[in-house]
Amino acid sequence: MNIFFDEVHKIFKLDTPHTSYIMTIADGKYLGHAYYGAKIEDTDVAYLTRVFEPPFVPSTNGRDKLSFLDCFPMEYPTHGIGDFREDAFSIRTEDGHEACELFYKDHEIMRGKPSIQGLPATFGLSADTLTLRIDLEDPVLSLKVSLFYSVFADNDCIARSVQIGNLSNNDIYLTKVMSASMDTEGENLSLLTLNGSWARERWMQMNPLGLGFQGVSSDRGESSHQHHPFFALCSEGTDQKHGEVTAMHFVYSGNFTAKAYMGQFNNVRMMMGINGEDFCWKLSEGEIFRSPEVIMTYSGTGLGTMTRNLHALYRRHLIRSPFLHRPRPILINNWEATYFDFNTEKILAIAKQAAPLGIEMLVLDDGWFGNRFDDNRSLGDWFVNEEKLSGGLKNLVDEINKLGMKFGIWFEPEMISPESKLYEEHPDWAIQIPGRTAGLCRCQYVLDLTREEVKEYVFKCLTDICDNANIEYIKWDMNRQLADLGSRYLKKDQMGELSHRYVLAVYEIQERLLQRYPNLLLENCSGGGARFDPGMLYYSPQIWCSDDTDAIERLKIQEGTALIYPLSTMGAHVSDCPNHAVGRNTPFETRGYVALAGTFGYELDVTRIPEEDRAMIPAQTKMYHKYHELVAEGDYYRLASYASNHLYDAYMVVSEDKKEALLTYVQVLMRPNFHSRKLRLDGLAEDKMYKIYKYDISTGEEVPYMTEKTGPSAAATPRESALSGKALMNAGLLIESPWGDFKGILLVIREA
Ligand code: GLA
């Protein structure tokens, strides 16, 4: 890790362990991007910005500045001055002008990493993190724009953010503030994005990059089911182990845009930040605006390296929860078990069955408050429904605790139902535009969290419940997107701040909650996984991945999620069959193996499932305890993708010392006359010798795997001898096809 400024050539060079990021100051004032890629030693690479070729820089070619701006790789391009490609920054003055031009002014290299006030962000110590701040200035507007770059000693990611200061005496309206922009170039590039819908979150999509714009965005007020605040530019033929990948990932939970623009010279500009639609921030004299953070990473060895860079960064420098390295309590959630139809007896009956099976926490989902017998009413009325919970909440929690189980509860704090006491009293607390009938979604409105009294109300509702019973976990849900953007609180020239202020308020309430209950386990959720993003991870170490709990559908969802998030963050449960989302029947053990890739829990009525399934739960809970550390802390390797081969899925987690690994294989479809599949392993040490075991769910034991037959009719016997990592990674392992569809196998690979 190093940050260096070459005074002679006016070059900034940031080094991570394996990558370099280089910028240069051209013509004494234009900050340009020179290089991002594999680590290089040279600093004198200003030639890469092509300022020595025609049309030269403005000081030598004043008659044609626009040609310079049309091709110069501007590090932070601005609007209205003649760089006609996509800009990263735009403003409007009180006079209605929109031009802004930024010149290099100053810089500082510092140890550590400053936090970003009010926003989630990666963190680092002065011993393991360095930060560069480059100040740019528009002298006409008296506007200061500071670009921040942080590098980490143990990671190949770069954290970027922007800070805007208004040094003038006038109001300036910020109409677009990207957190990061980068100019590069290339041919035959592709763009990798994650897209989906409710119950189909984060499916991977690779599209060739053509001339013009391409990208993804959300203007739904949250990161969304539909598109994810991540994208990666990939060279031709990129796969898990090959290809150049440059990725951006947004540490933010609201509207975003991720845009790539390929221009006339095959130059590509990629940028990410708060979506400019619905955004207009009034910056008055002396005020500062801080952008959320973008994480960038470069890999010259395919997607696998990108994945492991991001996993490691988030584990070491983003997730703060004390639960990060702890086993999470194995929970049972009553949502798919009962939906709204429960009472104290039913919940206790579930808990009584669950506790002796090794399940450690009961989570009471939606429906415990107000008049909430269905999803048409009562959001905002966070007082206990004693018709359902006779004896009250504390009584239920105490009874659950007596069984040796923890207790967790569901909230949807950001919402208000039109049919609620809260709405009767405060109809103006809902986000709505006066005079226009606001649209409902799941029969609910969103609370205007920009208002102090609304934030206080929400916080008080949460703490009243938490203070009165032993609540050890909260599932914080958010089940609709923001529309009809109107606030009775914000002034008319600040209405464009609503969406961002809303997200800041969510962060503020979660921060206060965690300060007050430092041992609370928080799981964020949004209609499944619509707010699964790095911003939320700063507050909750786990996020509900999707309302699709079908193990086979989950393979795709979890593959896309694990592409950029550590497995320890993915909320994953074993649910009932036929599955409530797709009607599929999947063997109970396969459901367990797939949920093992996440936080692991149950979402079913354990009193009503088949006896043979219930009998398997003790071995499954034992399996979680045996392997959770490897799953949560190990390095992740994707071996095969059901999403692309439509037949089977396989992934590994490997311990840091490479002495132990876990391989999950799910055969989705069986093929006739097809007895085994050769699978090349990954991530092992070439020179170590390994033995392979299969986890036997019926006994909870590991048994030697890979059979050997001495003749065509001889019985198969387990292979006892070891194989080298080199053999397993090059020649591969034979996976015997299990008989039937949807069959999972869990293999343990141990140094012999
Ligand atoms: C969302 C969540 C579910 C459940 C319901 C309750 O859809 O994703 O897990 O909590 O809300 O209404």
Side-chain angles (χ1 to χ4, degrees):
M1 159 190 83
N2 192 24
I3 297 181
F4 170 75
F5 181 59
D6 176 342
E7 287 280 354
V8 179
H9 301 101
K10 301 287 177 229
I11 284 185
F12 294 102
K13 182 162 183 279
L14 294 86
D15 285 332
T16 72
H18 305 100
T19 70
S20 295
Y21 188 102
I22 305 180
M23 290 167 280
T24 123
I25 302 167
D27 212 14
K29 54 187 179 181
Y30 295 102
L31 185 68
H33 180 83
Y35 174 75
Y36 186 32
K39 192 170 189 169
I40 55 176
E41 304 310 326
D42 315 58
T43 53
D44 183 13
V45 292
Y47 68 92
L48 289 167
T49 61
R50 296 209 165 90
V51 289
F52 310 111
E53 296 173 13
F56 303 115
V57 291
S59 63
T60 57
N61 186 21
R63 68 181 295 277
D64 200 354
K65 179 178 160 190
L66 264 56
S67 295
F68 163 76
L69 291 175
D70 218 10
C71 61
F72 181 69
M74 198 72 81
E75 181 68 7
Y76 198 62
T78 54
H79 183 74
I81 48 154
D83 178 344
F84 298 109
R85 294 164 286 173
E86 184 73 13
D87 51 75
F89 184 67
S90 63
I91 55 99
R92 202 177 57 243
T93 64
E94 285 177 340
D95 299 332
H97 296 132
E98 298 191 342
C100 174
E101 184 165 24
L102 295 172
F103 303 127
Y104 168 79
K105 181 94 172 121
D106 199 0
H107 74 269
E108 188 189 347
I109 297 169
M110 48 201 139
R111 300 209 70 86
K113 182 173 187 293
S115 57
I116 308 178
Q117 193 187 315
L119 281 163
T122 53
F123 46 81
L125 303 171
S126 57
D128 66 9
T129 317
L130 286 173
T131 298
L132 165 67
R133 192 195 73 241
I134 304 178
D135 297 331
L136 309 173
E137 198 179 62
D138 183 318
V140 176
L141 297 173
S142 293
L143 195 68
K144 181 172 162 187
V145 174
S146 303
L147 310 181
F148 287 81
Y149 301 80
S150 296
V151 291
F152 307 87
D154 55 2
N155 193 283
D156 282 315
C157 291
I158 298 177
R160 293 182 57 179
S161 65
V162 175
Q163 189 174 300
I164 325 291
N166 183 354
L167 310 179
S168 78
N169 302 321
N170 307 312
D171 294 334
I172 295 178
Y173 293 88
L174 309 178
T175 49
K176 183 182 190 185
V177 182
M178 290 293 105
S179 297
S181 174
M182 194 190 84
D183 277 19
T184 179
E185 56 190 74
E187 283 164 30
N188 300 322
L189 297 170
S190 291
L191 204 62
L192 173 66
T193 54
L194 299 170
N195 310 281
S197 179
W198 174 78
R200 279 189 272 120
E201 293 90 341
R202 291 174 292 286
W203 286 15
M204 290 165 64
Q205 176 176 293
M206 187 80 102
N207 279 341
L209 190 73
L211 288 167
F213 296 109
Q214 216 161 298
V216 284
S217 67
S218 161
D219 61 356
R220 294 167 183 263
E222 60 174 352
S223 36
S224 91
H225 298 100
Q226 286 71 17
H227 304 291
H228 201 70
F230 158 86
F231 70 162
L233 210 55
C234 303
S235 65
E236 197 172 8
T238 289
D239 61 18
Q240 283 297 315
K241 295 168 87 157
H242 311 96
E244 285 193 284
V245 181
T246 306
M248 286 187 175
H249 198 186
F250 204 19
V251 188
Y252 188 60
S253 311
N255 295 339
F256 74 91
T257 188
K259 236 180 207 178
Y261 173 76
M262 188 191 260
Q264 55 192 332
F265 309 117
N266 280 351
N267 44 352
V268 178
R269 178 168 281 174
M270 63 190 297
M271 60 176 65
M272 182 174 274
I274 293 178
N275 195 335
E277 279 179 41
D278 298 331
F279 176 83
C280 181
W281 192 276
K282 179 181 171 185
L283 200 68
S284 298
E285 178 182 354
E287 285 184 348
I288 287 176
F289 178 84
R290 296 168 180 87
S291 86
E293 182 168 270
V294 160
I295 304 301
M296 294 191 69
T297 192
Y298 166 84
S299 156
T301 45
L303 295 172
T305 304
M306 173 200 77
T307 295
R308 290 183 289 279
N309 289 348
L310 292 172
H311 285 196
L313 184 82
Y314 297 154
R315 284 195 291 224
R316 289 187 205 137
H317 298 278
L318 179 68
I319 304 171
R320 299 172 300 166
S321 168
F323 289 89
L324 174 62
H325 299 295
R326 284 195 216 154
R328 313 293 158 81
I330 299 177
L331 65 82
I332 184 157
N333 177 305
N334 74 307
W335 178 240
E336 289 192 22
T338 67
Y339 294 102
F340 293 100
D341 182 18
F342 62 83
N343 55 27
T344 301
E345 290 67 44
K346 233 185 204 180
I347 298 298
L348 278 177
I350 290 176
K352 277 181 188 150
Q353 280 262 1
L357 301 173
I359 297 175
E360 298 156 326
M361 179 162 74
L362 185 291
V363 174
L364 185 62
D365 211 279
D366 194 355
W368 56 268
F369 53 92
N371 218 2
R372 187 87 167 163
F373 290 92
D374 56 33
D375 61 7
N376 287 321
R377 55 192 58 83
S378 291
L379 292 168
D381 295 347
W382 300 106
F383 42 86
V384 177
N385 179 324
E386 301 223 3
E387 201 180 323
K388 290 189 191 184
L389 298 187
S390 52
L393 182 65
K394 180 169 175 4
N395 168 57
L396 174 64
V397 177
D398 290 347
E399 290 303 314
I400 301 271
N401 287 167
K402 276 187 213 155
L403 296 169
M405 292 177 92
K406 296 176 189 298
F407 185 87
I409 199 161
W410 179 96
F411 270 101
E412 198 179 352
E414 300 159 61
M415 298 294 152
I416 179 167
S417 304
E419 192 186 322
S420 64
K421 286 207 164 49
L422 186 65
Y423 194 76
E424 266 169 37
E425 284 166 26
H426 299 289
D428 57 327
W429 281 13
I431 290 179
Q432 290 176 349
I433 297 171
R436 183 180 290 281
T437 308
L440 286 163
C441 179
R442 209 191 191 205
C443 208
Q444 63 200 57
Y445 295 126
V446 183
L447 281 170
D448 180 3
L449 295 179
T450 64
R451 297 171 73 138
E452 279 307 316
E453 70 264 48
V454 179
K455 269 192 283 190
E456 281 310 316
Y457 174 80
V458 166
F459 188 65
K460 186 168 179 324
C461 291
L462 288 158
T463 53
D464 278 354
I465 294 292
C466 291
D467 288 345
N468 285 312
N470 185 21
I471 310 286
E472 298 187 64
Y473 159 108
I474 285 181
K475 177 176 173 187
W476 178 307
D477 208 342
M478 194 256 194
N479 279 320
R480 68 154 285 178
Q481 292 94 37
L482 275 62
D484 300 294
L485 294 176
S487 162
R488 305 281 175 111
Y489 169 74
L490 292 174
K491 302 208 172 57
K492 65 178 181 199
D493 60 354
Q494 288 187 296
M495 213 52 84
E497 300 175 13
L498 177 55
S499 304
H500 182 52
R501 282 186 185 273
Y502 178 86
V503 179
L504 294 177
V506 173
Y507 291 150
E508 186 187 322
I509 302 169
Q510 294 206 354
E511 183 68 36
R512 281 179 70 189
L513 193 67
L514 294 168
Q515 297 290 340
R516 179 153 168 159
Y517 309 106
N519 290 317
L520 180 76
L521 174 57
L522 189 62
E523 175 157 348
N524 269 291
C525 170
S526 176
R531 211 162 53 180
F532 201 125
D533 56 62
M536 287 281 112
L537 281 187
Y538 187 69
Y539 304 92
S540 65
Q542 59 195 61
I543 304 175
W544 184 229
C545 212
S546 174
D547 277 344
D548 195 333
T549 55
D550 174 71
I552 302 305
E553 281 298 304
R554 273 293 183 119
L555 294 174
K556 282 186 264 185
I557 296 167
Q558 293 183 185
E559 179 186 359
T561 309
L563 179 77
I564 49 179
Y565 296 100
L567 304 188
S568 63
T569 65
M570 300 197 300
H573 298 165
V574 175
S575 66
D576 204 1
C577 276
N579 178 268
H580 295 194
V582 292
R584 184 181 282 123
N585 283 304
T586 306
F588 202 72
E589 62 254 51
T590 306
R591 286 178 256 162
Y593 296 143
V594 175
L596 183 66
T599 55
F600 200 77
Y602 293 85
E603 181 127 354
L604 40 73
D605 185 346
V606 71
T607 66
R608 291 168 58 177
I609 57 172
E611 184 47 44
E612 62 268 29
D613 290 355
R614 193 170 31 244
M616 213 180 279
I617 294 180
Q620 278 183 337
T621 51
K622 189 172 158 197
M623 168 180 85
Y624 172 76
H625 283 292
K626 200 166 175 147
Y627 302 119
H628 80 85
E629 196 180 329
L630 191 51
V631 172
E633 312 287 340
D635 290 328
Y636 171 84
Y637 292 84
R638 168 64 48 182
L639 305 184
S641 159
Y642 159 59
S644 48
N645 66 35
H646 309 299
L647 286 172
Y648 68 103
D649 211 58
Y651 46 88
M652 288 173 70
V653 276
V654 183
S655 66
E656 203 182 344
D657 60 12
K658 300 194 181 288
K659 289 185 170 175
E660 201 186 8
L662 205 62
L663 190 167
T664 309
Y665 176 89
V666 179
Q667 173 179 284
V668 178
L669 291 181
M670 174 58 168
R671 271 184 168 170
N673 198 16
F674 194 88
H675 304 290
S676 63
R677 173 167 280 124
K678 191 156 53 175
L679 201 63
R680 285 178 169 172
L681 308 196
D682 203 354
L684 301 173
E686 291 204 332
D687 52 354
K688 281 196 195 311
M689 299 299 290
Y690 294 97
K691 280 193 164 185
I692 319 286
Y693 304 88
K694 181 180 170 181
Y695 184 72
D696 183 343
I697 193 73
S698 56
T699 61
E701 301 299 327
E702 293 174 3
V703 291
Y705 186 68
M706 268 186 87
T707 53
E708 285 177 332
K709 289 183 181 184
T710 45
S713 57
T717 53
R719 181 189 170 97
E720 295 288 356
S721 56
L723 282 162
S724 68
K726 205 169 193 173
L728 288 166
M729 292 192 289
N730 290 291
L733 181 69
L734 285 187
I735 305 283
E736 293 162 22
S737 297
W739 182 246
D741 295 340
F742 317 136
K743 291 289 172 65
I745 303 174
L746 190 68
L747 297 180
V748 188
I749 298 138
R750 287 189 197 289
E751 188 180 15

